[in-house]
Structure formats: structure tokens, C-alpha cells
Amino acid sequence: MSWVTKTLSSTLGKKLLMALTGLFLILFLVVHLIGNLQLLLPDNGESFNLYAESMATNPLIKVVSIGNFAFIILHVIYSILLTRHNKKSRPIGYAETAASTNSAWSSRNMGILGTLILIFLLVHLKGFYYEIKFGEVPMVDYAGIMYKNVFAIVAAAYSNVFYVVFYVISMGFLGFHLSHGFASAFQTLGLNHVKYSPLIQKVGIGFSILIPALFALIPIVMYIQSV
Amino acid sequence: MILDSKIPAGPLAEKWTKHKFNSKLVNPANKRKYEVIVVGTGLAGASAAASLAELGYNVKAFTFHDSPRRAHSIAAQGGINAAKNYQNDGDSVFRLFYDTIKGGDYRAREANVYRLAEVSVKIIDQCVAQGVPFAREYGGLLANRSFGGAQVSRTFYARGQTGQQLLLGAYSALSRQVANGKVKLYPRSEMMDVVMIDGHARGIVTRNLITGAVESHSAHAVLLCTGGYGNVFYLSTNAMGSNVTAAWRAHKRGAYFANPCFTQIHPTCIPVSGDHQSKLTLMSESLRNDGRVWVPATKETAEKLRKGQINVNDIKEEDRDYFLERKYPSFGNLVPRDVASRNAKYVCDEGRGVNETGEAVFLDFRDAIKRDGKSTIESKYGNLFDMYKQITGEDPYQVPMMIYPAVHYTMGGLWVDYNLMTTIPGLYALGEANFSDHGANRLGASALMQGLADGYFVIPYTIGDYLASTPPKPVDTTHPEFQKAATEVKNRVDQLLKINGKKSVDYFHKKLGKIMWNECGMARTAEGLKKAKAEIKQLKKDFWSDVKVLGTNEELNLSLEKAHRVADFIELGELMIDDALNRDESCGGHFREEFQTPEGEALRDDENFAYVAAWKYMGENQEEELYKEPLVFENVKLTQRSYK
Amino acid sequence: MQLTLKIWRQKNASDKGGFVTYPVSDVSKDMSFLEMLDVLNENLTEKGEDPVHFDHDCREGICGTCSLYINGKPHGPLQTTTCQLHMRSFSDGQTITIEPWRAKAFPIVKDLVVNRSAFDRIIQAGGYVSVGTGGVPDANEIPIPKTIADLAMDAAQCIGCGACVAACKNASAMLFTSAKVSQLALLPQGQVERKTRAEKMVAQMDAEGFGACTNTGACEAECPKGISITNIARMNREYFSAVVSSENV
């Protein structure tokens, strides 16, 4: 084995990949949210549709989005590898545990939270990404140029109360996942310091509340607008 | 046989240097042909095993623990002495030597003690190089604290866990040699006998504590680094597993046992709380730097306190008797351990003891907290205070600690010469297992020093002298002597398992402990000792006819392990009593009530008892024979110890 | 006090094992937890039953020999060792479940006794400064800032009991390993072998079959010596910088 593969197959190496991909996905969330918030602009979706068009055509974005998918897949694969390894490390469990007294629930259930988020992601991709890319999308005319009316697809989806509820609950899972994942990634990278770690903790908590809440706000508002 | 201590001639300060030069050497290519067995992996054992392996010898290290790091050296709290004179307060090798000889009440060998003081400075260098995180000053240099029996600050420490850090240092050196393949570790293996071939120690027989297998291991020399025998008292500050078995089996094979009655009773332990008590916990002597020892001035006040009618913090200053400061103004609370312990006993005997049992005195930090602030005290003793609170449920920041003396260390042990060799050629004893350096009383922070001195800096030189004259031919474990020893061990196991009596092993251990504590503890009388001897003889009979050991040999069997150990403790107890009876004087930890000054201090008899009492085993149920090694003092004047 | 003990009994490594329930009475609040087990064992011996085997030695909270997973927590309800746990932490009539440490790397020997020699092998992989006896500089020739010495001491306090592994949902030994890596990485004495040490100790830790770290912090919360998980971050840092910069290919 070369030193690279040896490192990446060590427990620390696997954790390093989890942390790096996690941090990238955190960044992606921010970018994605900024784009999505345009759904709430009172312009019948014009800015959002223009934004969607630019996303679909910009070559840089294309590269990044391939990277994004790759990181999601890596994050998932390595979580499975780590979980399997960890399960093997304790073949016989305890009859009684009081884990709640020594650690946060979310930190102990990152795998479950991640799986739920993955399910959401698949539904989300099927509903929007796939539809927009390969489905039949109505067109809209802005200043003589025809654009895909992505906004219409989103608005249609968010008029379905079940979809909205599913979306909001999933953002809850995301929040819990982030509440541990954010600071944990820094800890894994070894970025722990008396001066900065408390700040990272706080930012992590703030992030894990704010970002999912804003994501959840979009379907709620659009649902209310639809009725 | 005349005991030859092999002390080199010449001026005190040159003895060790000269001796090292005169010792034979084993050439590097030959060292790898020799095997050395080290039993025990505490400070002495781990440091010896590591140092010998570094030299090139093949070492086999045995411990009954699951890991070498568990040895009881780890529990030493306060610190380690070294004559570095970093504090510029007048310390020197000679002063450390003098303090140790005087502290030991002039019952130790001058040459050994001087060597100990001499190598003490190298120990600190060695430990620092290993990464032991000693306490430091803001300038980055090493910090010191003062300890009982000394007027200079020469004690190096790592919070209240000095023993732990030193042991982990030695353990790391040992681990390095295990990784190098020069040391083979045998954890959970208990030494059951020494194997002698042609009068030399050539191996040991062990019992694998997990499988019960009796195994033979050969070597060209055997080092016993197996600690002290304080658990003969049942209640002591020793770990539950600490035992005399290895030393005792060696004794039965011909190693003389020296000064067995010299036991140290440590003044600052947490008092006994009830019959269920399994062991006593020491509070580091360093606490006496800032804590003040006192009891109520009158019996009446003490009685009210015991009944809970008054609160300790309400007792006025004039109603408190700081008895150590009163009796010993120049050393105050820092008098040596034996003096502090005995005085605590006196005030409690007068009825002024303070807890429910009346067997406790206060160690009070009120004034220190007022003077230095709580945070300073916390940084110095925080972990000790926490430990006290956990055990007693009381907060020593609010109410004074309660302490009482408890058995802590045994100065006696296997007799060794200047080379640390016992009376069996090829068999060495290091650390607390030997008798050599502390006389009748050990000064605080000197046990760690001795363990490491023996292991790092003495045995690597002295063992060469013996091995150089031993052919490097491998010793064969198929030799009939190995078979014989192994059979004896197996028979003994069978015998213990067969008795199937009514009383548990602990029952006998507790009973032995009571006899020893009452009659051979802090104060002894000829009458009491004679009574105790008869009781122990009876106890031994009862043990071998009525003990109940469950289970089989072929498994992890704690009661069987313990039965072996207690059987040996009972025999040792009898020898301790013989020794205490023989020594018609008081010195250090050995206090015979018949021999005291009008002020109640120990009264030595230098004319008749300035000797090491070495006992030779004469056979089952036979009286042991006494051999005397006269102690010659050329560099210190024998005086009545005074700490006033 | 009267208590009901539910204790894991297992004759040897290959036995399947199971819980056995024992009532104990006459327990005093001043007893330590192990003294309470002593009482149980004396009773069992009297009845001719095999006493419960558990590891213990110093009973002062420093040797790290005692273990026991008590009511779902390593070393029981307080952040201390089992030997320093006293019965005043329990209430009359309570049922107490006692299990051995559970980890692949800590196989059970008998009842509550496990084999923790994996820890020794991790130290043997590099938890030392390679200096032989003698020939070292004077102790004061290596000045160390007090804050650094204190941090090193914080890490060096580890007693190797394995509570971190027992508490961790992944049976990870990161806290144990990182405490030693940290201590020696902080001190000037440890610099020479700094990179190799981090690489080797992590490799050994993995080879022993311990789990990975999820940063739950359970190890720190349960460590009787309060070893901080900042040490784990430091070890990660040490390891990553070692693998990219060391000469070990």
C-alpha cells in the first residue's frame, strides 16, 4: 500500500475524508440556500429562473456540481465504512447504557440522521433536479428570451402539504446532523484551540439552526402563498 | 556464615566510583548470551528491566498484574528526593545522605545510603529526558517542595501523582525494550518459587493466573523487585495485590530476611470507617507542608466533638492543641513519619481523638487557605482534596481533614549486599523488596528515589560483576530442579484446594492483620509480642485445616491466588514478631514501649543493637536463626534524633 | 441498604455468559463499590459458590486496574474510578447492573475481567522517548514553559483504565492514544520522534481493532482523570502533518 492509501484507510484518514467532504457540503448548503431564497422574491420567480438558467449553463458550476455529487457519495461511502468498522469494534453491546448522560443524542446518531437526510436528498433530486434536467418543463419569456420556468415546478411541489411537511421535517434532521457535524469536522481536522474552539462551537450551533430554518421557510411560505 | 556486605574500602564519597571500576564487565558481544529474570515491574523492576535490556541482556519481566503499569509504585503521591540543590538552600549529596541516615534512626548502611544520595541527581535527569512532566516554575525550570525530616527543598514532584509519572516513565522505557524484542513480558504471572541449581538462582517457577499453568523460566540471574509486605497487616495503604510471596519463597530457599519488624506507619491516612474496610488510603505527606495537625486541648472538648455536640469550626484557637508544633518547634508539622505517627497515637490514647472511633486527628488547611487563597491550595493539592471528599463525603476546604496513621512501607526485606545480591548467589533484591537504605524509618519521597536508583543506576553495574564469572551457557528448564520446584508448587495448589474448610481466605487475613496491628504495630511490648506469636502459630494451624478455597487451578481463581499469599503472610508475621522481640530497643518505626526516653521518644541502644538482623529460614515450623551484620558508622555521629 | 445486583457472569473467554441476579443486604453508605462486591463475594464463598471476578488493585483511583460498567456507565455514576465510588451514590433498594468493558480489543477473561493488553501494545508502538539510561543532559538544561508542562501533565495523568473505550459508542481508543501522543508532542523531549510516534501509535491502535472517533465527547465525560478531547484533536493534527511530511513511506 502506498502511504496515501494507507493513510486514507486508517481510522483517522477515514475521519479526515468525512470531515473534509462534510465541510464542503456545508459550504454548498450556504450557496444553495442563497440561490433558493430568491424563490421568496415577489417577482413571480423571475430572478430564480434566471439564476437557475445561469446555474445550468455556467461551466464552472458544472464542475462544482460534479464535485458536489462526488463528495456526497464519498461522505456516504465513508460513513458506511466507518459504521461497519465501529460496529465490529464492539461485537457484543451493553445490556444497559446511560449514554445520554455523557454525550449529545445527535452525536451518537449521525448515521441515522445521515440516512434520513440521504432519503430526503434522493426524493429532492428526483423531484427537482431530475425533473428540471430531464422532465418536461414549462417555459417562460423574459425580455424575449425563453427560459425554463423552474419556479413553476417548485411552486407546484410546495403546494402539496405532504411534500412541505416532509421537507420541513427533513430540515430538522439536517439541523441535528449539522449541530454535531459542524464542530466535529473542525475537531477531526485537529483545529481545536482554547481561543477559537468555543467560537466554532457557537457558530456551529447557530449554523445548524439558521440554515435549516431558512431552507424550511421557503416551502412553508410558498405553501401559504399557494392557498 | 558471616554476612559479607561487600562494602568497598576507602572514603565514603569514593566508594561507589571505585567499586564500579573494580567490578568485572561483560563484553557487549557476550551480553546477548545472558538471560535475566526480573520479577515485578514497579519502579525498581521496570527501570532494571529496561536498563539491562538496553545494555544487551535478554530480559524476561514478570508481573501478576495485567500490565506492568499497574504496579503499586504508581500510587506514590508526594515526590522524589534528589540532592540537586537547585534551590540554593544548602543541599548536597552529603546532606541528603545525612538526613536519610538520621531519618532512618542510624540503622542503615552508610555506604548504601551515600550511594543512593549520589545517584539521586541522575535519576531526575533520566526521568526528565524520558518526558516525565515534573512541576515547573514560570521560568521553565524544575520546581521543588519540602518534605518531612528535611530542612531543605529537594523534592521533585508531578502534582500529587509523582509515583505515577515516574512509573509511566520507567514503563515507557520498558515498553521500548519490549518493542525491540529485548524484554519479553509475562503479565498475569505470579512467581511461586526460585529454582536453585548448584547453589545459584537459575530461574523461577510461575503460575499463569489465567490458565493456572505452572511454568518454568530459566535465566542466569534473578531479580526480585516485588515490593513490600505491608499487607501482612491486612489494612494498609498497599494495593490489594501487594504481597510477600516472591520474597518469602526466596527466603525459604536460603535468602536471609533482614529487619522484618521495621515497618513504617504513615501519619496521614484517611481513618478507618468500619469493619467492611478493605484498605486504607494515604493522603500525601506533602499536605503537612501547609496543613496543621491538631486535636482539641482537652478530653472533654474531644468528647463533645465526637458526640456531635459541637462543630469543629467552632472550637476556639486556644482550645486547639497543635501538638506537633508545640513539641517540635523547629520541624513542626514536618517531623519524620514515625514521630508524627506516634504522637497522633499518644493524643488519641489520651482520649483526644476526633472521629467517631476516637482514632483520628485533624489536618487543618484553614490558615493556609486564609494565607495563600483557596486557588493556590487547590493547585497544590486539588486532587488530594477531591480524593478525600470522594472517600469521606466531607469537603476539606470547609472542614479540616481527619487523618490517622496506617501501615505504609516496610523498611525490612531481603538482606542484600552492596551489589544488591541476596545470600543466594545470582538472586538480587531491588527497591522495597530489599532492606538496604532506609534503616528503621524511611523519609518521605525516598522510596521512589531508592527504587529507581537500584534499577537504573546500581544493578546495571553490579550484575555484570556476577555474570562475568558465570558461563553464558543457556540454562535448561528440563533440569530436575525445575521439575522438583514445579511439582512442589502444584502440590501446594492441590493442598489448598483440598482443605475445603469453613472460613474464607479473607477471614484469616483479617485476623492476622488484627494481631499484627495490635501487637506489632505502632507500639510493641515483649509481653504483647509473645502473646501474638502464640496466636499466629494457632492461626497458621487453623488456616491449613479450615480455609475454604473454591474453584479449580485451571482458571482465573482469585481466592486461590489470595490463599497462597495469605499463607506466606502468616509465616512472615511470625518472623516479624521474632525480630521485634529480639530488638530490645526502640528505633524509628520500631517502638518498644519498654525502651523510651522520659519524653516518650524512641530510645536506641547503639551498643547492643547497631546491627542488621538477618534471619535464616531453618525449615517448616522451626525457629529461624539470627545473623548479625554490624553497622559501622565512620562519617556520622550517632545521636539521639532530635527534631525539636 | 438492600440492593439487587445484576452481574455478568462468564466462566472463561469461550463461555457464552449471562446475567445472574444477587441480592445483597447490610451495605453501608460508607463502603466503596468494590467493598460492597467484597461482601457479596464473602457471602458467595460461604455458600460454596464461585465469587465474582473483577479487576482491582490500588483502590486509590490511580492504578487503573478496576473497571466495571455500572448502570450503563463506565466506573458508575460519578466521574471517578469504581474503587473511588462509594455506596452513598446509590439508594436503598436499587437494582445495579454490572457489566464488563465491551470491546473487540478487550476480550473477556472471566466474569468482569477483561484483557487490556492492547493498550500496552499501543504504548510499545511508540509511546516513549528513546533515551537509554545514563548519558542524558542535566534536568534543568531543558527548560519547559510552565503552561506547556501543565498541559503535558494533564495528558500524562491517564491511568489506562479503558473507560474511554468502554464509554465510546465505537469502542474507540482515541482518548487513550492521544493522551500519550499529546504529552510527548508537547514536550521538547518528544520532538525527535514526534512524527514516527504519531504514525506508529495510530497504526497500532487500528490494528488492535478499536473503533473510529465520532467526537461524541463521551470519553472525556467519563474519564476518571478528566483527560480532554483536545488531545484527540492534537493527535489528529500530529498524525496528518506526520503522514504528509515524514520520511516514512
Side-chain angles (χ1 to χ4, degrees), chain A residues 43-61:
Chain A
D43 62 357
N44 256 331
E46 185 176 342
S47 348
F48 184 74
N49 282 336
L50 291 173
Y51 157 78
E53 176 71 16
S54 70
M55 288 308 240
T57 50
N58 187 331
L60 182 72
I61 297 294

Side-chain angles (χ1 to χ4, degrees), chain A residues 1-17 20 78, chain C residues 199 206 239-240 242-246 248-249:
Chain A
M1 265 198 291
S2 87
W3 67 271
V4 179
T5 47
K6 210 159 75 186
T7 304
L8 292 183
S9 57
S10 73
T11 48
L12 260 62
K14 288 184 195 137
K15 288 297 300 176
L16 176 70
L17 277 177
L20 289 175
Y78 270 85
Chain C
E199 288 180 284
D206 284 356
Y239 178 74
F240 297 139
V243 289
V244 296
S245 69
S246 79
N248 309 320
V249 279

Side-chain angles (χ1 to χ4, degrees), chain B residues 15-79:
Chain B
K15 282 182 197 284
W16 178 229
T17 311
K18 246 173 85 181
H19 187 72
K20 280 192 285 186
F21 181 74
N22 289 333
S23 295
K24 279 178 250 167
L25 297 172
V26 180
N27 93 49
N30 276 345
K31 284 200 180 96
R32 69 176 78 100
K33 295 179 190 160
Y34 288 99
E35 295 197 302
V36 180
I37 282 175
V38 179
V39 185
T41 57
L43 284 179
S47 59
S51 302
L52 294 178
E54 285 161 13
L55 288 174
Y57 297 112
N58 299 304
V59 177
K60 300 174 185 173
F62 295 82
T63 169
F64 66 78
H65 289 104
D66 66 330
S67 162
R69 66 182 294 154
R70 313 272 186 228
H72 196 54
S73 308
I74 205 150
Q77 298 169 352

Side-chain angles (χ1 to χ4, degrees), chain B residues 51 54 64-70 72 74-75 77 84 86 124-126 128-131 133-134 136-142 158-159 161 164-165 168 171-172 175-176 178-179 185 188 210 237-242 273 276-282 387 389-393 456-457 504 506-507 548 550 555-559, chain C residues 11 28 30-31 35 38 42 44-60 62-65 79-80 84 86 88 109-110 113-114 116 119-120 123-124 127-134 136-140 142-146 149-150 152-154 156-161 176 180 183-184 187 189 225:
Chain B
S51 302
E54 285 161 13
F64 66 78
H65 289 104
D66 66 330
S67 162
R69 66 182 294 154
R70 313 272 186 228
H72 196 54
I74 205 150
Q77 298 169 352
K84 281 282 195 189
Y86 281 161
I124 303 303
D125 300 342
Q126 188 62 36
V128 167
Q130 286 169 346
F134 281 120
R136 291 186 179 259
E137 305 289 357
Y138 283 100
L141 301 185
L142 291 158
R159 299 205 184 131
Q161 291 127 284
Q164 180 200 24
Q165 292 310 313
L168 292 182
Y171 162 75
S172 74
S175 297
R176 181 164 80 99
V178 173
L185 262 187
R188 290 202 199 262
I210 295 187
T237 65
N238 284 7
M240 303 301 286
S242 302
S273 72
H276 53 78
Q277 194 111 6
S278 62
K279 80 152 266 158
L280 296 171
T281 303
L282 171 79
M387 186 165 91
K389 194 178 170 187
Q390 251 160 27
I391 293 172
T392 63
Y456 283 134
F457 297 111
S504 72
D506 262 0
Y507 166 86
K548 187 178 201 168
L550 295 167
E555 61 178 336
L556 180 63
N557 187 337
L558 292 179
S559 50
Chain C
K11 272 204 87 54
S28 139
D30 287 329
M31 278 181 185
E35 283 165 351
D38 290 344
E42 279 290 289
L44 289 177
T45 307
E46 216 160 89
K47 283 193 269 175
E49 290 176 41
D50 194 24
V52 177
H53 281 61
F54 56 91
D55 263 328
H56 66 105
D57 197 32
C58 78
R59 298 203 176 186
E60 294 180 25
I62 192 74
C63 73
T65 312
Q79 196 183 352
T80 177
Q84 296 293 287
H86 284 68
R88 65 181 81 92
V109 174
K110 181 176 180 179
V113 176
V114 299
R116 284 168 286 190
F119 273 8
D120 288 323
I123 298 295
Q124 284 156 19
Y128 43 75
V129 178
S130 295
V131 290
T133 305
V136 297
D138 183 272
N140 261 351
I142 314 171
I144 301 170
K146 189 175 185 319
D150 284 347
M153 181 63 199
D154 287 343
Q157 291 190 82
C158 169
I159 57 174
C161 64
F176 170 81
K180 190 47 79 180
Q183 178 203 341
L184 297 177
L187 294 172
Q189 299 93 307
K225 295 291 148 185

Side-chain angles (χ1 to χ4, degrees), chain A residues 11 15 90 95 101 180 184, chain C residues 99 102 168 206 213-215:
Chain A
T11 48
K15 288 297 300 176
R90 178 169 289 136
T101 59
H180 176 68
S184 175
Chain C
E99 301 175 71
R102 295 278 190 199
C168 176
D206 284 356
C213 179
T214 308
N215 301 324

Side-chain angles (χ1 to χ4, degrees), chain A residues 23-148:
Chain A
L23 282 176
F24 178 85
L25 296 174
I26 280 171
L27 267 181
F28 165 72
L29 282 178
V30 177
V31 177
H32 191 35
L33 178 66
I34 292 168
N36 283 14
L37 280 175
Q38 296 176 70
L39 286 164
L40 299 183
L41 292 176
D43 62 357
N44 256 331
E46 185 176 342
S47 348
F48 184 74
N49 282 336
L50 291 173
Y51 157 78
E53 176 71 16
S54 70
M55 288 308 240
T57 50
N58 187 331
L60 182 72
I61 297 294
K62 274 194 172 165
V63 174
V64 172
S65 84
I66 291 167
N68 196 28
F69 278 117
F71 285 144
I72 291 174
I73 292 166
L74 267 180
H75 200 75
V76 171
I77 290 174
Y78 270 85
S79 72
I80 294 168
L81 289 177
L82 279 164
T83 307
R84 272 182 42 192
H85 176 88
N86 293 342
K87 287 268 176 277
K88 265 197 255 165
S89 299
R90 178 169 289 136
I92 301 170
Y94 294 108
E96 195 179 324
T97 60
S100 58
T101 59
N102 60 34
S103 51
W105 180 86
S106 55
S107 74
R108 283 177 276 119
N109 292 284
M110 291 297 275
I112 293 170
L113 289 166
T115 309
L116 292 169
I117 293 165
L118 183 66
I119 292 169
F120 161 78
L121 201 61
L122 293 174
V123 173
H124 180 67
L125 286 173
K126 167 75 181 64
F128 296 123
Y129 185 85
Y130 182 85
E131 284 301 319
I132 294 160
K133 223 163 175 151
F134 307 109
E136 273 184 32
V137 186
M139 303 301 275
V140 61
D141 180 340
Y142 296 128
I145 304 170
M146 297 301 281
Y147 291 90
K148 284 186 177 178

